[in-house]
Every structure is written in structure tokens, then in C-alpha cells.
Amino acid sequence: MKPIWNEIQPADRYRASSNGLLQDYDQKVISLLYQPLIGPQCYSLYMTLWNEVEVGRLWSEDWNHYHLMSFLSMNLSEIYEARLKLEGIGLLKTYMKQTDDIRMFIYELQPPLSPEQFFNDGLLNVFLYRQLGRTHFQRLKHFFSDRAVEPGEYRDITRSFQDVYAAKIGPEVLNEAEAQQISRLEENRRYIEKTAAPVIKIENTHFNFDLLYANLRDELIPLRAITPEVREAIVKLSFLYGLNELDIKKILLQALTADLEIRVEDLRKIARSWYQIEHHDELPRLVDRFQPEADAKERKEPENDEEKFLRYLETTSPRQMLIDFSGGSEPAKADLAAIEEVMFAQQLPLGVVNVLIQYVLFKTDMKLSKNYLEKVASHWARKKLKTAKEAMAFAKKEDRQYKQWLNNKEKNGTGRRKPVRVEKLPDWFKKEDQKTAAAAVQADGESLEEKRKRLEKIREQYKKG
């Protein structure tokens, strides 16, 4: 369990309060839009604190945290982590006062975003889409929306205030200054009212705008195109998709209109497409910065060269792997398009896609044949391969069959027999007769051993970070 005794203890007391009046509609928003992101424990904590606040009032009675532990059947660590998640997503503010050895907490519930704010947030809506999928996401969007009045069908005949009311001037009218004075609340009180939800702000601690502007000086993008709205979108997108300054520059170039302006919606679409190509048609998901122990295995450092190479295959985007293979050159758009189409159509995991690319590159003399790529990919998808290691083993097992597919394709495509091509294999495809294979020379003069050395160099660069 995470050591939290310095942060909170069961005997510490708390009061729940509400930043404004919470309504039944807010409960629907939290239940259907927020709960898939924060989980049932956070939802239970929020609703428990809400119910402790008296209906129509803003404060609960004093309780200690033993009460919460018993009521929620959660240990103190779970309550503390649920509290942090609620704070991070903007549903809770926490205040603490210490007097001698007694600590008093105030848990101030914040209203959720309106459905319109949520579905246009740029962060939460993307995370929710990733969590629920297209069908259920569309269902929720329709649940929280309805048909609007068509402006062309009706005309607005609503009367204004001054059309209906007039001020009567006379001695019986109260003094205006006195009315204003009496309306003011005492310093330690506030009106019970519906308040606006705090919009989630991403603190810009990770993106260097000075570096971005320096990169833009040589491009056609004027700095006036980076409006405050665009700047805020850049901060969100860089956080959401892990974009650096160079990535953002490329995306801005694509989003620039003929009028030298940048629309935030275009920026979002291009960034989303870039991320999905890089990450196998997936959107980012919301995870905790304090990761559970279940992820410890995933974060474990590789112990040998084989594990390092597998980690490289499982974590490197296909685009970056092609760049590594070519010694730093940007891959051709046709190659990226072929890989993207296969990724979207066959839904293969990232590690499997990278093994597939390596296998096809070596089999087709580094040309990345689209037809051959699609045929092998569909076979691997039917076999439900999940990891790079499984894909390597399966490629070795089915190599004879794939070689026959390739030979038949060449015979049918030309009408005459092509010169026999020397067999080339990726480094992980070593067999017992590798000495014989290493002696083979490719048609372009590069031996298989030289090819292996180049791949080894790529792996060495990866090990150095």
C-alpha cells in the first residue's frame, strides 16, 4: 500500500461542502460521462459526500475518516487515491487546517461540466471515446442532446423587459442605494446557487513555445496565427498525444488555411490522425500517474538483448522503425499509407505489425510490397497473434508457405521467370545453417552479414536511448 500516513489518517476529521447547488441532472452527467473515466470507487466517494450535504444546503456535519472507510468498505489508501482522482478531474477541491495534533479537511464538491462542455473539451471526450468505443459514445451523445428549434420554421416574437415593464417614479419607491446595501451578503456567507463547473486546465510544464516559434520562422506560418485559442489547443494536444515541438510544427503546417489561419477543430483532427497512425488506430486512454502494481511488470527493464529488441518492437511506431531501417530517412508516403491501411483493416497489435514489416521488407528486397503485406497480415489476424515474440515464431513456422506465395506472385506478374533472388532474412530469423546463409550475397552487393550489422547498429542506438 502506498505510504499515506503523513497525508491522512483515519482519525482525521472532515466536512463535505458543495460549491453551489448540485442537481439531479449533474448526477446523470457524473454517472454516465465521468464514471467510465474515474471508476466506481471515485464515483461512490463523490456521491457519498454529496449525500452527506443536507438537501438544499451547502455543508455536512463533521465526521472522521473511519466513517468513510466503514461506509464505503474501502481502506484509507483507496479513499485517498479516489480523492486525488476526483481532484485531478475537477470534481473536488480539498482544504486542510491543522491545529495541534488535529487535522480538519474540507472536501468541496465541484459541479461537473455541462454535456456541451464535456463533448467539446478536447481531453475528456477523447478519453471517453477511447474507453467506450464509437457505438456507446454516440448513444451517450444522443442521450444528452435533443432536437433544436429550426430558425427557419419559427420567428422569435419574445418581448423584451422594457416592452413589458416600466419604472414608476414616486415617493413610495425604495432608496436605490439602500436596496443595494441590503442585498450584499456578510463576508462569511454566500448564496445557494448553481455555479459553473471549473474547466480542466493543463499546466504547460512540458511544451516549449519558444522552441516552436523558432522552428516556425523558416515556415509560412505567421505568429499571429497562433491565437490564444490555438495556443491552448496546442498545450492540450501535446499532453494528450505526447507531441513534441517538431510534431506540432508539422501538424500546424497541415492545418494552415489559404488565409494563413489555423482552426482549432482542424488542428484536433490532424493530431488525432497522426496519433492513430503512430499508435495502431488507437486513441489515448486516461491513466493514473500513480500506477498500480499491475503495471510494474510492464515497466520492468529488459535484462538481455532479446528482451531489449522485443521491447523495441512492442513500443516503437512503424514509422519510426522504417526511419531506423533507412538510417534516418523519412519513409515514403506510399509505404506509410500501405501500413496504415493494413493496421486499420486487420487490427494487429503494434509489436506484430513491426515484425510483419520487417519480415516483408526482407522477403521483398526492402520494397514493402503492399499485396504481400496485406496477404500475410490477414493470415496473422486470423491466427490472432498478440505479441512480437508470437509473430516471430509464427513467421519461422510458415516461411515455406509465404515463400511459395511470393514465388507464385512473381511468376503470374511477369509472364517470364525472373532471376533467382538470394534469400534474405531478418536478424531474428536465424536458423541452424546461418553460416551458409551469411555467405550469400545480395544482388545489390550488400551481404546478409552487413545487413545484420546494420540492424545490430539500430538496436545499439535503441539501447543508448
PDB file of all heavy atoms in Angstrom, residues 113-126:
ATOM      1  N   LEU A 113     -18.829  19.392 -15.592  1.00  0.00           N
ATOM      2  CA  LEU A 113     -19.027  20.140 -16.824  1.00  0.00           C
ATOM      3  C   LEU A 113     -20.408  19.855 -17.390  1.00  0.00           C
ATOM      4  O   LEU A 113     -20.972  18.764 -17.180  1.00  0.00           O
ATOM      5  CB  LEU A 113     -17.972  19.755 -17.863  1.00  0.00           C
ATOM      6  CG  LEU A 113     -16.505  20.061 -17.549  1.00  0.00           C
ATOM      7  CD1 LEU A 113     -15.615  19.439 -18.616  1.00  0.00           C
ATOM      8  CD2 LEU A 113     -16.257  21.549 -17.450  1.00  0.00           C
ATOM      9  N   SER A 114     -20.965  20.795 -18.103  1.00  0.00           N
ATOM     10  CA  SER A 114     -22.208  20.528 -18.824  1.00  0.00           C
ATOM     11  C   SER A 114     -21.912  19.548 -19.951  1.00  0.00           C
ATOM     12  O   SER A 114     -20.763  19.428 -20.394  1.00  0.00           O
ATOM     13  CB  SER A 114     -22.785  21.822 -19.396  1.00  0.00           C
ATOM     14  OG  SER A 114     -21.951  22.307 -20.436  1.00  0.00           O
ATOM     15  N   PRO A 115     -22.918  18.814 -20.433  1.00  0.00           N
ATOM     16  CA  PRO A 115     -22.655  17.896 -21.552  1.00  0.00           C
ATOM     17  C   PRO A 115     -22.008  18.576 -22.753  1.00  0.00           C
ATOM     18  O   PRO A 115     -21.111  18.014 -23.382  1.00  0.00           O
ATOM     19  CB  PRO A 115     -24.045  17.366 -21.898  1.00  0.00           C
ATOM     20  CG  PRO A 115     -24.798  17.436 -20.608  1.00  0.00           C
ATOM     21  CD  PRO A 115     -24.297  18.672 -19.924  1.00  0.00           C
ATOM     22  N   GLU A 116     -22.431  19.820 -23.056  1.00  0.00           N
ATOM     23  CA  GLU A 116     -21.830  20.531 -24.189  1.00  0.00           C
ATOM     24  C   GLU A 116     -20.361  20.804 -23.935  1.00  0.00           C
ATOM     25  O   GLU A 116     -19.516  20.618 -24.822  1.00  0.00           O
ATOM     26  CB  GLU A 116     -22.567  21.849 -24.426  1.00  0.00           C
ATOM     27  CG  GLU A 116     -22.021  22.634 -25.608  1.00  0.00           C
ATOM     28  CD  GLU A 116     -22.757  23.926 -25.864  1.00  0.00           C
ATOM     29  OE1 GLU A 116     -23.646  24.265 -25.061  1.00  0.00           O
ATOM     30  OE2 GLU A 116     -22.442  24.599 -26.856  1.00  0.00           O
ATOM     31  N   GLN A 117     -20.019  21.242 -22.706  1.00  0.00           N
ATOM     32  CA  GLN A 117     -18.609  21.471 -22.375  1.00  0.00           C
ATOM     33  C   GLN A 117     -17.815  20.175 -22.442  1.00  0.00           C
ATOM     34  O   GLN A 117     -16.682  20.143 -22.932  1.00  0.00           O
ATOM     35  CB  GLN A 117     -18.506  22.077 -20.976  1.00  0.00           C
ATOM     36  CG  GLN A 117     -18.969  23.511 -20.855  1.00  0.00           C
ATOM     37  CD  GLN A 117     -18.950  23.985 -19.406  1.00  0.00           C
ATOM     38  OE1 GLN A 117     -19.478  23.328 -18.509  1.00  0.00           O
ATOM     39  NE2 GLN A 117     -18.317  25.116 -19.179  1.00  0.00           N
ATOM     40  N   PHE A 118     -18.398  19.091 -21.930  1.00  0.00           N
ATOM     41  CA  PHE A 118     -17.700  17.805 -21.875  1.00  0.00           C
ATOM     42  C   PHE A 118     -17.391  17.304 -23.281  1.00  0.00           C
ATOM     43  O   PHE A 118     -16.256  16.912 -23.577  1.00  0.00           O
ATOM     44  CB  PHE A 118     -18.549  16.786 -21.124  1.00  0.00           C
ATOM     45  CG  PHE A 118     -17.827  15.510 -20.794  1.00  0.00           C
ATOM     46  CD1 PHE A 118     -17.294  15.307 -19.535  1.00  0.00           C
ATOM     47  CD2 PHE A 118     -17.668  14.501 -21.744  1.00  0.00           C
ATOM     48  CE1 PHE A 118     -16.617  14.136 -19.223  1.00  0.00           C
ATOM     49  CE2 PHE A 118     -16.987  13.336 -21.442  1.00  0.00           C
ATOM     50  CZ  PHE A 118     -16.459  13.153 -20.172  1.00  0.00           C
ATOM     51  N   PHE A 119     -18.396  17.307 -24.176  1.00  0.00           N
ATOM     52  CA  PHE A 119     -18.199  16.743 -25.510  1.00  0.00           C
ATOM     53  C   PHE A 119     -17.350  17.636 -26.404  1.00  0.00           C
ATOM     54  O   PHE A 119     -16.955  17.221 -27.498  1.00  0.00           O
ATOM     55  CB  PHE A 119     -19.551  16.477 -26.169  1.00  0.00           C
ATOM     56  CG  PHE A 119     -20.223  15.219 -25.665  1.00  0.00           C
ATOM     57  CD1 PHE A 119     -21.246  15.286 -24.737  1.00  0.00           C
ATOM     58  CD2 PHE A 119     -19.809  13.971 -26.099  1.00  0.00           C
ATOM     59  CE1 PHE A 119     -21.865  14.136 -24.267  1.00  0.00           C
ATOM     60  CE2 PHE A 119     -20.409  12.815 -25.632  1.00  0.00           C
ATOM     61  CZ  PHE A 119     -21.442  12.894 -24.715  1.00  0.00           C
ATOM     62  N   ASN A 120     -17.066  18.865 -25.971  1.00  0.00           N
ATOM     63  CA  ASN A 120     -16.178  19.752 -26.719  1.00  0.00           C
ATOM     64  C   ASN A 120     -14.905  20.069 -25.946  1.00  0.00           C
ATOM     65  O   ASN A 120     -14.185  21.007 -26.298  1.00  0.00           O
ATOM     66  CB  ASN A 120     -16.912  21.065 -27.050  1.00  0.00           C
ATOM     67  CG  ASN A 120     -18.014  20.876 -28.073  1.00  0.00           C
ATOM     68  OD1 ASN A 120     -17.770  20.719 -29.257  1.00  0.00           O
ATOM     69  ND2 ASN A 120     -19.243  20.865 -27.601  1.00  0.00           N
ATOM     70  N   ASP A 121     -14.605  19.279 -24.922  1.00  0.00           N
ATOM     71  CA  ASP A 121     -13.477  19.585 -24.050  1.00  0.00           C
ATOM     72  C   ASP A 121     -12.129  19.391 -24.748  1.00  0.00           C
ATOM     73  O   ASP A 121     -11.198  20.138 -24.510  1.00  0.00           O
ATOM     74  CB  ASP A 121     -13.546  18.710 -22.791  1.00  0.00           C
ATOM     75  CG  ASP A 121     -12.401  18.961 -21.851  1.00  0.00           C
ATOM     76  OD1 ASP A 121     -12.359  20.039 -21.233  1.00  0.00           O
ATOM     77  OD2 ASP A 121     -11.515  18.095 -21.748  1.00  0.00           O
ATOM     78  N   GLY A 122     -12.026  18.401 -25.598  1.00  0.00           N
ATOM     79  CA  GLY A 122     -10.757  18.136 -26.274  1.00  0.00           C
ATOM     80  C   GLY A 122      -9.878  17.149 -25.543  1.00  0.00           C
ATOM     81  O   GLY A 122      -8.955  16.583 -26.135  1.00  0.00           O
ATOM     82  N   LEU A 123     -10.149  16.906 -24.268  1.00  0.00           N
ATOM     83  CA  LEU A 123      -9.423  15.890 -23.495  1.00  0.00           C
ATOM     84  C   LEU A 123     -10.382  14.805 -23.027  1.00  0.00           C
ATOM     85  O   LEU A 123     -10.258  13.638 -23.387  1.00  0.00           O
ATOM     86  CB  LEU A 123      -8.737  16.521 -22.282  1.00  0.00           C
ATOM     87  CG  LEU A 123      -7.427  17.274 -22.499  1.00  0.00           C
ATOM     88  CD1 LEU A 123      -6.955  17.876 -21.189  1.00  0.00           C
ATOM     89  CD2 LEU A 123      -6.362  16.338 -23.043  1.00  0.00           C
ATOM     90  N   LEU A 124     -11.358  15.206 -22.206  1.00  0.00           N
ATOM     91  CA  LEU A 124     -12.247  14.220 -21.588  1.00  0.00           C
ATOM     92  C   LEU A 124     -13.064  13.470 -22.630  1.00  0.00           C
ATOM     93  O   LEU A 124     -13.283  12.257 -22.497  1.00  0.00           O
ATOM     94  CB  LEU A 124     -13.173  14.912 -20.579  1.00  0.00           C
ATOM     95  CG  LEU A 124     -12.485  15.599 -19.403  1.00  0.00           C
ATOM     96  CD1 LEU A 124     -13.509  16.194 -18.449  1.00  0.00           C
ATOM     97  CD2 LEU A 124     -11.583  14.619 -18.648  1.00  0.00           C
ATOM     98  N   ASN A 125     -13.538  14.167 -23.669  1.00  0.00           N
ATOM     99  CA  ASN A 125     -14.327  13.467 -24.686  1.00  0.00           C
ATOM    100  C   ASN A 125     -13.488  12.442 -25.453  1.00  0.00           C
ATOM    101  O   ASN A 125     -13.971  11.367 -25.800  1.00  0.00           O
ATOM    102  CB  ASN A 125     -14.977  14.469 -25.645  1.00  0.00           C
ATOM    103  CG  ASN A 125     -13.980  15.366 -26.338  1.00  0.00           C
ATOM    104  OD1 ASN A 125     -12.915  15.672 -25.797  1.00  0.00           O
ATOM    105  ND2 ASN A 125     -14.288  15.801 -27.535  1.00  0.00           N
ATOM    106  N   VAL A 126     -12.205  12.746 -25.678  1.00  0.00           N
ATOM    107  CA  VAL A 126     -11.324  11.783 -26.368  1.00  0.00           C
ATOM    108  C   VAL A 126     -11.088  10.560 -25.477  1.00  0.00           C
ATOM    109  O   VAL A 126     -11.141   9.420 -25.945  1.00  0.00           O
ATOM    110  CB  VAL A 126      -9.987  12.449 -26.736  1.00  0.00           C
ATOM    111  CG1 VAL A 126      -9.029  11.427 -27.344  1.00  0.00           C
ATOM    112  CG2 VAL A 126     -10.214  13.590 -27.718  1.00  0.00           C
TER     113      VAL A 126
END
